[in-house]
Amino acid sequence: MTRVIVVGGGLAGLSAAHTILERGGRVVLLEKNGFMGGNSTKATSGINGAGTAAQRKLNIPDTPEIFYEDTAKSARDLAIPPLMKVLTYESGSAVEWIQDKFGVDMSLLARLGGHSQPRTHRGKEKFPGMTMTYALMERLEEDAEKYPDQVEIIKKANVTKLIKDGEKVIGVEYTSPDGSVHTEHGPVIIATGGYAADFSSTSLLKKYRPDIYDLPTTNGDHCTGDGIKMSTAIGANSIHMEKVQVHPTGLVDPKDPDAKIKFLAAEALRGVGGVLLDANGKRFADELGHRDYVTGLMWKNKGPFRLVLNSKAGKEIEWHCKHYQGRGLMKFYNNGAELAREMGISVSTLADTFTKYNDGAAKKNDPFGKRFFHNLPFDANDSFWVAIVCPVLHFTMGGIQIDEKSQVLGQNGIISGLYAAGEVAGGVHGANRLGGSSLLGCVVYGRVAGASAAAYLLNELSNSNAARRIAGIAGHLGGITISANGITMNISANGTSDFAPQAQLPPPTASKSAPAKKEIAAPPSQEYTLADVAKHNTENDCWVVVNGQVLDVTNFLPDHPGGKKSIMLFAGKDASEEFNMLHKPEVIAKYAPDTIRGTLKK
């Protein structure tokens, strides 16, 4: 037992791994997919932080105390104060750790639903979840290459079992793609995500929330509650399992409206001033209310529902709008008349809705109690960005029960050697999670878990070394008995003792030399026309063009962290513009060189 095991390569697992390294520990990260990132890469609105430099620069009078109160209101009667205090009081340092250590832009702020202050941080471009997670992922990969004795990353490692020695967790068992079974020994951090896509035969969704089981989800198909299932199997408690967040704004693809997996419309779209309209062109809710409140009112009103941003709001969050437009999920309208025609209502109805909205803001008497307004006024002669939206399964507040040190709890208290962080950890958000607190929970509790597990490992190693030293002395003395603080240890001349663990751990593996860098072969010289590429447009035969390269991504589809659908939208087409909005140019050569088939004929 010489290194900490992190199960899961999303933002929580990556935050834990980096913290372990900061504390001088060794770590092995096990990821069941072929690519790290998980759902963290899909987070679109940002990360909450109170009392940050970005807030101070804009004279925003936010504090951890205010953030705590907002979180407690959202959590309602299921609030667990010690867990929420860690989340909120450590939020500012979490944001600045991401910004300062990994160079991630966190300069823009938005006020999301349920927040009394603008505190959700994001950068000027790209999805904040992706920029944060990629920054930590790439740094850890660099560390694994430079310092193989300190950090190892094993992908396509499906952890299936926790190993115990008495009441203590001492490792995991995992399977490789070839079916072979392996073990790792050490304290374990579970960071496997939630269960909002658990449609398996052992579905936690069906068990705890059969009433919403048939809703679409924003989660990747890897979110099946693995960590919860394996932890409860060895005696861990679960908590708040019936609390599943249904987000009000899943994006409806007009070409595939019944798709089970949907992309999320960032809550930041409403934060910058977007309004929600029903089928009749009327508002029906405070757009910045808690997510469960907005969703509840959608179910009571008539759809399809539309999320509408005027030109000012669209400009403030232009990158998101253009990204959704590129995926065919958002449309641009030159004026209200065009939008009204699409909705099948009169432009006067739309104008009346906008007039009432502007008046409510000016007179501070919005009929739905809305208090915070941005980018007014709404004018039917303006241009608009619009998306059709629907309720979607998004986040699970329930999970493994932990304490404020990320230690997993069982019936008899703390389960030694086992920790949990991120969405897999229940109780952190109570009955309802605030927007922007998902990424925050990953970073804060990932760091807490990493620090706790590193300290635990150090203590275990110290105790083991002390026992060996005492045993060596006993060999010279012919056997001794030591009593201290009511504990007696009998050590014989041969070095054995009555406190020796029942199961002996294997010795540490030999140090590994740095892996030789793979030589990336030159791209194939075969040329293809766009018409050639267009023939390969199915899930079983999928080609795309990216920056002049022709890629066969058929075998890569299951490993893509953004899910198959985000690639299939461009099957047989040129995906360069969309790709460049999200990725660095070197991503293909680094992570998927085998997909390159040739170049596009000019």
Side-chain angles (χ1 to χ4, degrees), residues 345-418:
I345 62 174
S346 67
V347 68
S348 61
T349 297
L350 200 61
D352 181 62
T353 294
F354 292 160
T355 297
K356 289 178 179 176
Y357 182 62
N358 296 332
D359 288 347
K363 298 175 181 177
K364 297 184 179 180
N365 65 348
D366 181 77
F368 305 104
K370 190 169 186 175
R371 294 187 297 143
F372 304 111
F373 299 84
H374 302 276
N375 290 312
L376 293 175
F378 266 71
D379 186 334
N381 295 313
D382 196 3
S383 58
F384 300 95
W385 291 94
V386 182
I388 298 174
V389 295
C390 71
V392 283
L393 298 169
H394 180 57
F395 187 88
T396 50
M397 278 75 70
I400 304 167
Q401 188 178 16
I402 62 168
D403 65 9
E404 61 271 26
K405 295 181 180 179
S406 279
Q407 298 173 117
V408 173
L409 304 177
Q411 286 188 341
N412 299 319
I414 294 167
I415 298 177
S416 295
L418 186 61

Side-chain angles (χ1 to χ4, degrees), residues 228-464:
I228 299 169
K229 293 172 185 177
M230 73 176 79
S231 297
T232 54
I234 58 97
N237 294 339
S238 62
I239 187 172
H240 300 170
M241 292 296 289
E242 75 287 357
K243 294 301 177 183
V244 177
Q245 187 169 78
V246 179
H247 197 291
T249 58
L251 290 162
V252 176
D253 183 351
K255 296 178 182 177
D256 190 11
D258 298 323
K260 186 67 172 175
I261 296 177
K262 287 181 164 49
F263 296 107
L264 185 71
E267 191 163 325
L269 295 169
R270 285 176 282 143
V272 298
V275 297
L276 288 169
L277 304 182
D278 65 13
N280 300 317
K282 305 291 186 180
R283 289 179 63 235
F284 56 90
D286 171 4
E287 290 84 359
L288 294 180
H290 291 149
R291 290 173 176 179
D292 53 355
Y293 152 81
V294 178
T295 297
L297 287 174
M298 290 175 80
W299 281 331
K300 293 178 181 178
N301 286 274
K302 182 183 178 182
F305 300 97
R306 285 175 170 83
L307 175 59
V308 181
L309 283 74
N310 64 10
S311 61
K312 288 182 181 178
K315 187 64 177 177
E316 184 172 338
I317 199 163
E318 186 175 30
W319 186 92
H320 285 65
C321 293
K322 288 187 174 180
H323 172 74
Y324 297 136
Q325 183 186 43
R327 292 189 171 188
L329 303 172
M330 183 171 259
K331 289 182 68 173
F332 178 80
Y333 296 86
N334 289 298
N335 51 58
E338 287 186 7
L339 174 58
R341 192 178 309 119
E342 178 92 0
M343 294 178 68
I345 62 174
S346 67
V347 68
S348 61
T349 297
L350 200 61
D352 181 62
T353 294
F354 292 160
T355 297
K356 289 178 179 176
Y357 182 62
N358 296 332
D359 288 347
K363 298 175 181 177
K364 297 184 179 180
N365 65 348
D366 181 77
F368 305 104
K370 190 169 186 175
R371 294 187 297 143
F372 304 111
F373 299 84
H374 302 276
N375 290 312
L376 293 175
F378 266 71
D379 186 334
N381 295 313
D382 196 3
S383 58
F384 300 95
W385 291 94
V386 182
I388 298 174
V389 295
C390 71
V392 283
L393 298 169
H394 180 57
F395 187 88
T396 50
M397 278 75 70
I400 304 167
Q401 188 178 16
I402 62 168
D403 65 9
E404 61 271 26
K405 295 181 180 179
S406 279
Q407 298 173 117
V408 173
L409 304 177
Q411 286 188 341
N412 299 319
I414 294 167
I415 298 177
S416 295
L418 186 61
Y419 306 84
E423 191 173 352
V424 74
V428 175
H429 307 285
N432 183 66
R433 177 178 65 76
L434 288 173
S437 283
S438 176
L439 293 176
L440 178 63
C442 289
V443 177
V444 167
Y445 277 99
R447 295 178 75 196
V448 170
S452 295
Y456 175 85
L457 180 60
L458 177 62
N459 185 62
E460 289 290 294
L461 292 173
S462 298
N463 289 341
S464 176

Side-chain angles (χ1 to χ4, degrees), residues 477-496:
L477 299 178
I480 58 174
T481 298
I482 300 175
S483 296
N485 299 322
I487 299 173
T488 301
M489 290 185 281
N490 298 306
I491 305 174
S492 66
N494 63 11
T496 62

Side-chain angles (χ1 to χ4, degrees), residues 116-334:
S116 61
Q117 299 291 335
R119 64 168 67 96
T120 308
H121 297 66
R122 71 180 194 277
K124 296 180 178 66
E125 292 185 348
K126 302 184 181 180
F127 290 145
M130 178 172 282
T131 56
M132 281 187 269
T133 307
Y134 269 52
L136 271 68
M137 178 179 76
E138 290 173 349
R139 180 74 62 83
L140 195 69
E141 289 172 335
E142 291 171 7
D143 289 344
E145 188 172 311
K146 292 178 183 176
Y147 314 110
D149 289 341
Q150 293 299 114
V151 56
E152 182 180 12
I153 300 166
I154 305 176
K155 299 173 186 174
K156 295 191 175 181
N158 185 23
V159 177
T160 57
K161 181 181 177 183
L162 292 166
I163 303 171
K164 289 184 75 178
D165 173 21
E167 295 303 310
K168 189 183 295 186
V169 170
I170 61 167
V172 301
E173 189 175 281
Y174 70 91
T175 57
S176 294
D178 62 4
S180 58
V181 179
H182 310 267
T183 58
E184 286 285 343
H185 291 86
V188 178
I189 297 174
I190 301 291
T192 52
Y195 50 97
D198 188 8
F199 307 112
S200 66
S201 59
T202 58
S203 173
L204 295 172
L205 275 175
K206 181 164 279 190
K207 180 178 180 180
Y208 292 101
R209 290 301 304 271
D211 56 314
I212 57 175
Y213 179 80
D214 292 326
L215 288 178
T217 181
T218 61
N219 285 224
D221 56 13
H222 55 277
C223 297
T224 51
D226 300 0
I228 299 169
K229 293 172 185 177
M230 73 176 79
S231 297
T232 54
I234 58 97
N237 294 339
S238 62
I239 187 172
H240 300 170
M241 292 296 289
E242 75 287 357
K243 294 301 177 183
V244 177
Q245 187 169 78
V246 179
H247 197 291
T249 58
L251 290 162
V252 176
D253 183 351
K255 296 178 182 177
D256 190 11
D258 298 323
K260 186 67 172 175
I261 296 177
K262 287 181 164 49
F263 296 107
L264 185 71
E267 191 163 325
L269 295 169
R270 285 176 282 143
V272 298
V275 297
L276 288 169
L277 304 182
D278 65 13
N280 300 317
K282 305 291 186 180
R283 289 179 63 235
F284 56 90
D286 171 4
E287 290 84 359
L288 294 180
H290 291 149
R291 290 173 176 179
D292 53 355
Y293 152 81
V294 178
T295 297
L297 287 174
M298 290 175 80
W299 281 331
K300 293 178 181 178
N301 286 274
K302 182 183 178 182
F305 300 97
R306 285 175 170 83
L307 175 59
V308 181
L309 283 74
N310 64 10
S311 61
K312 288 182 181 178
K315 187 64 177 177
E316 184 172 338
I317 199 163
E318 186 175 30
W319 186 92
H320 285 65
C321 293
K322 288 187 174 180
H323 172 74
Y324 297 136
Q325 183 186 43
R327 292 189 171 188
L329 303 172
M330 183 171 259
K331 289 182 68 173
F332 178 80
Y333 296 86
N334 289 298

Side-chain angles (χ1 to χ4, degrees), residues 48-79:
N48 294 330
T52 65
Q55 287 180 314
R56 290 193 295 272
K57 188 174 181 180
L58 295 173
N59 296 315
I60 296 170
D62 199 13
T63 65
E65 292 86 354
I66 297 171
F67 185 17
Y68 177 91
E69 290 302 318
D70 289 348
T71 301
K73 288 176 185 176
S74 178
R76 305 189 185 103
D77 59 336
L78 295 183

